[in-house]
Amino acid sequence: MSNYHIKHLEEYFKVYRKSIREPENFWEEIAEEHFVWRKHWDKVLSWDFKKPEIKWFEGAKLNITENCIDRHLFTKGDKTAILFEPNDPNEASEHISYRQLYERVNKFSNVLKDNGVGKGDRVCIYLPMIPELAISVLACARIGAVHSVVFAGFSSTALSTRINDSECKMVITSDGSYRGSKTIDLKGIVDEALESTKCVETVLVAKRINSDIAIKENRDKWLQPLLDKASPECSPEIIDAEDPLFILYTSGSTGKPKGMVHSSGGYMVYTAYTFKNVFNYKHDDIYWCTADIGWITGHSYIVYGPLANGATTVMFEGVPSYPDTGRFWDIIEKHKVTQFYTAPTAIRALAKAELDYVNKHDLSSLKVLGTVGEPINEDAWHWYDDNVGKNNSPIVDTWWQTETGGIMLSPIPYVTPTIPTYATLPMPGVQPCLMDDNGKELKGRQVNGKLCIKFPWPSIARTIWGDHERYKNTYFSTFENMYFTGDGALRDAVGYYRITGRTDDVIIVSGHNMGTAPIEDIINEHQAVVESAIVGFPHDVKGSALYGYITLKESAKGRKLENIHKEINQIITEHIGPIAKLDKIQFTNGLPKTRSGKIMRRILRKIANNETDNLGDTSTLLNPEVVQEIIDGKV
Ligand code: WTA
């Protein structure tokens, strides 16, 4: 018998030990007992981190939607699978049962097929958080097409880059989206993006805001009439466990976004198993993760993990501040939410509002609180614990990445004692280790180093779409035979892990990863700019925010800096999206450089963080005089 649901600490240690001693047996038992496969695997695991090549359940055949939908029909057909809460609290919420989900996914699958999408084809999904988003994801999976969901807050340039990179044949979007009191013209953004793509044959358009949009003949089609005509039966395409399920882009510190490719079999097993344990999910629970499906958290813990467990998963279309800052608490009360999973940045923003917004709601249904995406500071942790959980719901601080597919370090609620800001212990099957800068493993307790994983787990991304070399260089070349996460961490006296933050030029702003180089490249395209450097600085709501040092051309010096400031944020918004805007801009006469011409970001980081007392030796710089000038001009 496998230990699918861990219930006490001793059991955790026992299960963990087994998962390390006999990883193949451990995952094989879970895979056999808790999932439907159309053909058994020939081999549980083969791997080589040097190539790198990782295969789980090789030879097995399955369809993940049979596991997420079909198999629940007999026992849970009428149970709510997706509970949709619209942006406007006065609009009715929608309860989509497993049976209804089955029919809607099948109809959508047939529409995809009728429009020439088949196994292995890539489909870009650019939708707001409406049921069609989850349904289209599942429909792609059902026919073996590879979905590439692009967060609907990204700009048209970011969208076209992603469409082109994976050569998507189809885009699924809507006439627009609601976001608080605003509406956004998504279809207009798609139209603009498609001006610089050649691969897209069809655009399916869901109706959400009833806006008057342009429909391009032979390319754009309204979705609903096609769904109305489609058959509610569509047998799933049976695919290999190692066939790609989806591509999801994540920013790196340099270059274009990386299309992380996830497999079907291993991803399914790992997300389902971690969902069950990290959220202590029980049959009648109402689980709510506030992420957007455009991010990995939404893929793994709104769609696949919960549905594979036959859970009820809430999808919220709106924002935490509309119609007022009590909206999250209102939804928890309204739907009697039992597990609530959100980001530290949301907690910090809501903690700033009057406590009355929380206190006037009955939150007694809550059993587990979760956080993800960035380190949670102690104040936010305690605020969450005291005011939302009433010191009665364990907080699971879950550490993981787009690349890991599922939660890697996290307390198990009611099992692992929690400590604020600690992601505590590894999930079964996860073998973390800390490395020093010389490539040596730091053994024992009370050490601080770079966080790596020594052994494959089932949901590790298999490659970067179209660029396996980059996959190897980014994750497997820093330390031999290890997956390098890019994060720093410490291990304390009892063996608990605490994430200390990124060790590269990725800055996490409101839980979103921002590579600095791609933003600098865009700024440098502005005609007034010579060069720029971006660093992070602490921000009380966003966690970190972006501080840009920008040197202007002589010719621009007469211009109003205020206008250049605005223009720079404008081009960032156009090329990436508003999430990458700079909070502070300091115009400089030059940037500190080494004699070989490399910008000394370490110094700039310290200045932005007000740590000017220990800048170190600046005399060896090419231009030491700019340092004091920059300190004096700090904004
Ligand atoms: C950071 C999100 C501290 C980390 C699932 C990681 C965290 C990056 C935590 C991945 C946490 C995520 N504590 N830091 N609990 N969770 N991070 O790909 O730096 O959007 O490498 O995946 O977020 O972000 P991504």
Side-chain angles (χ1 to χ4, degrees):
M1 266 288 283
S2 72
N3 293 82
Y4 191 66
H5 189 189
I6 298 168
K7 298 199 183 61
H8 50 83
L9 195 58
E10 260 162 76
E11 190 186 2
Y12 163 79
F13 285 117
K14 202 176 115 220
V15 169
Y16 186 75
R17 275 196 301 273
K18 174 173 174 175
S19 78
I20 303 307
R21 274 198 218 120
E22 326 162 25
E24 278 101 337
N25 287 342
F26 174 76
W27 289 114
E28 174 160 54
E29 282 172 15
I30 290 173
E32 259 167 5
E33 281 173 35
H34 298 279
F35 301 91
V36 181
W37 303 86
R38 288 292 189 101
K39 176 182 169 289
H40 199 271
W41 43 90
D42 305 317
K43 193 160 187 231
V44 182
L45 168 67
S46 57
W47 66 290
D48 178 350
F49 274 176
K50 288 207 167 64
K51 278 185 181 167
E53 188 178 78
I54 302 129
K55 290 181 178 165
W56 283 93
F57 311 114
E58 202 178 348
K61 290 193 182 288
L62 77 154
N63 186 288
I64 196 168
T65 68
E66 272 198 318
N67 284 275
C68 289
I69 308 171
D70 306 38
R71 67 165 162 152
H72 305 311
L73 292 179
F74 293 113
T75 50
K76 304 186 179 106
D78 296 324
K79 180 177 173 176
T80 301
I82 294 176
L83 203 175
F84 172 63
E85 175 66 26
N87 177 63
D88 178 355
N90 297 318
E91 190 182 325
S93 24
E94 196 181 339
H95 292 251
I96 303 171
S97 69
Y98 272 94
R99 198 176 318 285
Q100 289 165 331
L101 184 64
Y102 173 81
E103 288 187 5
R104 289 178 70 171
V105 169
N106 281 341
K107 282 179 171 233
F108 210 126
S109 304
N110 285 323
V111 170
L112 294 178
K113 286 208 262 188
D114 291 345
N115 282 280
V117 177
K119 181 172 181 253
D121 288 338
R122 276 81 57 208
V123 173
C124 173
I125 303 176
Y126 187 72
L127 278 172
M129 281 286 284
I130 55 177
E132 285 78 2
L133 173 49
I135 291 166
S136 59
V137 158
L138 292 161
C140 287
R142 192 155 184 93
I143 66 165
V146 179
H147 56 78
S148 166
V149 182
V150 177
F151 171 59
F154 275 121
S155 70
S156 60
T157 317
L159 177 61
S160 63
T161 308
R162 286 158 176 78
I163 292 173
N164 285 331
D165 184 71
S166 47
E167 293 172 285
C168 295
K169 208 172 174 179
M170 175 185 271
V171 177
I172 303 170
T173 189
S174 66
D175 57 349
S177 66
Y178 292 119
R179 234 184 123 65
S181 54
K182 288 190 234 153
T183 55
I184 298 164
D185 175 20
L186 287 193
K187 175 63 166 51
I189 298 172
V190 170
D191 288 343
E192 216 175 288
L194 294 192
E195 282 171 21
S196 40
T197 64
K198 290 204 184 76
C199 43
V200 174
E201 292 164 14
T202 315
V203 178
L204 297 182
V205 189
K207 201 170 234 170
R208 177 59 183 141
I209 66 168
N210 283 315
S211 66
D212 193 14
I213 55 159
I215 287 283
K216 189 168 169 187
E217 224 177 305
N218 298 327
R219 188 194 73 183
D220 303 348
K221 296 179 183 176
W222 286 106
L223 177 64
Q224 197 55 48
L226 302 178
L227 289 172
D228 291 341
K229 278 187 285 184
S231 153
E233 289 299 331
C234 173
S235 48
E237 182 80 26
I238 302 307
I239 65 170
D240 289 345
E242 278 298 322
D243 278 343
L245 174 64
F246 65 84
I247 301 169
L248 184 60
Y249 288 87
T250 183
S251 357
S253 48
T254 54
K256 59 179 186 178
K258 297 172 284 190
M260 303 314 305
V261 180
H262 280 284
S263 73
S264 281
Y267 175 82
M268 169 182 78
V269 170
Y270 193 80
T271 53
Y273 176 76
T274 47
F275 173 76
K276 176 77 180 167
N277 284 290
V278 172
F279 298 104
N280 188 31
Y281 187 82
K282 305 231 172 87
H283 181 59
D284 290 322
D285 288 348
I286 307 288
Y287 162 88
W288 180 23
C289 165
T290 69
D292 192 290
I293 293 177
W295 309 112
I296 191 69
T297 305
H299 280 61
S300 302
Y301 298 108
I302 294 179
V303 182
Y304 290 114
L307 296 178
N309 281 282
T312 298
T313 177
V314 176
M315 254 185 99
F316 174 45
E317 182 185 28
V319 294
S321 55
Y322 178 82
D324 63 41
T325 33
R327 188 69 195 278
F328 274 4
W329 323 126
D330 181 47
I331 296 173
I332 292 174
E333 178 174 7
K334 178 173 172 191
H335 297 302
K336 299 198 169 38
V337 169
T338 43
Q339 288 91 351
F340 178 66
Y341 190 29
T342 195
T345 185
I347 298 169
R348 288 190 296 263
L350 295 171
K352 284 189 155 232
E354 298 273 311
L355 208 49
D356 199 42
Y357 281 115
V358 190
N359 288 344
K360 71 178 179 211
H361 292 287
D362 175 7
L363 305 182
S364 60
S365 55
L366 287 170
K367 298 194 301 189
V368 179
L369 301 178
T371 76
V372 60
E374 56 182 313
I376 179 162
N377 49 308
E378 261 194 86
D379 285 353
W381 196 98
H382 284 297
W383 186 88
Y384 199 29
D385 188 34
D386 295 344
N387 299 302
V388 182
K390 321 285 182 205
N391 305 114
N392 219 2
S393 294
I395 295 179
V396 291
D397 177 353
T398 65
W399 172 85
W400 57 296
Q401 310 178 294
T402 304
E403 296 85 340
T404 69
I407 295 168
M408 301 292 278
L409 301 174
S410 169
I412 294 178
Y414 304 100
V415 171
T416 320
T418 58
I419 304 181
T421 77
Y422 280 76
T424 73
L425 296 171
M427 286 287 110
V430 173
Q431 302 190 28
C433 63
L434 300 176
M435 306 295 289
D436 73 10
D437 288 332
N438 304 318
K440 250 186 69 198
E441 183 174 349
L442 298 159
K443 304 251 180 177
R445 305 281 162 91
Q446 291 182 300
V447 288
N448 193 334
K450 292 187 166 157
L451 179 62
C452 291
I453 317 285
K454 282 188 201 184
F455 194 86
W457 61 100
S459 65
I460 182 175
R462 303 298 197 258
T463 189
I464 291 175
W465 184 264
D467 199 348
H468 197 67
E469 205 49 33
R470 188 173 180 201
Y471 175 67
K472 179 177 171 171
N473 292 337
T474 312
Y475 305 105
F476 299 92
S477 302
T478 318
F479 301 104
E480 206 182 329
N481 260 330
M482 304 258 171
Y483 166 82
F484 176 41
T485 65
D487 284 325
L490 61 82
R491 187 164 51 226
D492 76 357
V494 298
Y496 274 15
Y497 288 87
R498 179 185 192 206
I499 304 299
T500 51
R502 298 291 308 175
T503 61
D504 56 9
D505 287 327
V506 171
I507 301 168
I508 304 195
V509 182
S510 300
H512 305 314
N513 298 1
M514 294 289 141
T516 50
I519 308 175
E520 289 164 6
D521 290 347
I522 288 161
I523 297 173
N524 297 348
E525 275 177 30
H526 188 288
Q527 51 185 7
V529 173
V530 179
E531 60 179 354
S532 60
I534 293 173
V535 298
F537 73 99
H539 186 283
D540 60 352
V541 172
K542 298 178 178 182
S544 296
L546 303 179
Y547 191 120
Y549 297 92
I550 299 177
T551 309
L552 297 179
K553 288 183 186 153
E554 278 304 319
S555 56
K557 294 230 162 116
R559 289 197 52 199
K560 252 186 150 173
L561 293 181
E562 220 180 283
N563 291 344
I564 302 183
H565 190 132
K566 271 196 208 132
E567 287 163 18
I568 284 171
N569 271 333
Q570 180 65 29
I571 51 172
I572 294 175
T573 305
E574 277 161 21
H575 282 81
I576 303 178
I579 49 179
K581 283 203 290 201
L582 306 184
D583 263 58
K584 289 188 181 177
I585 294 183
Q586 177 175 353
F587 294 105
T588 56
N589 287 322
L591 299 174
K593 289 189 183 156
T594 61
R595 292 197 180 269
S596 58
K598 226 174 138 218
I599 298 174
M600 286 291 282
R601 286 163 201 282
R602 186 178 51 80
I603 293 177
L604 295 172
R605 211 173 286 134
K606 286 198 166 160
I607 299 174
N609 285 273
N610 290 326
E611 294 167 9
T612 45
D613 291 345
N614 57 352
L615 287 182
D617 183 12
T618 54
S619 64
T620 56
L621 291 176
L622 190 65
N623 49 352
E625 71 286 353
V626 299
V627 174
Q628 193 56 45
E629 264 181 56
I630 292 177
I631 294 174
D632 295 342
K634 187 176 173 295
V635 289

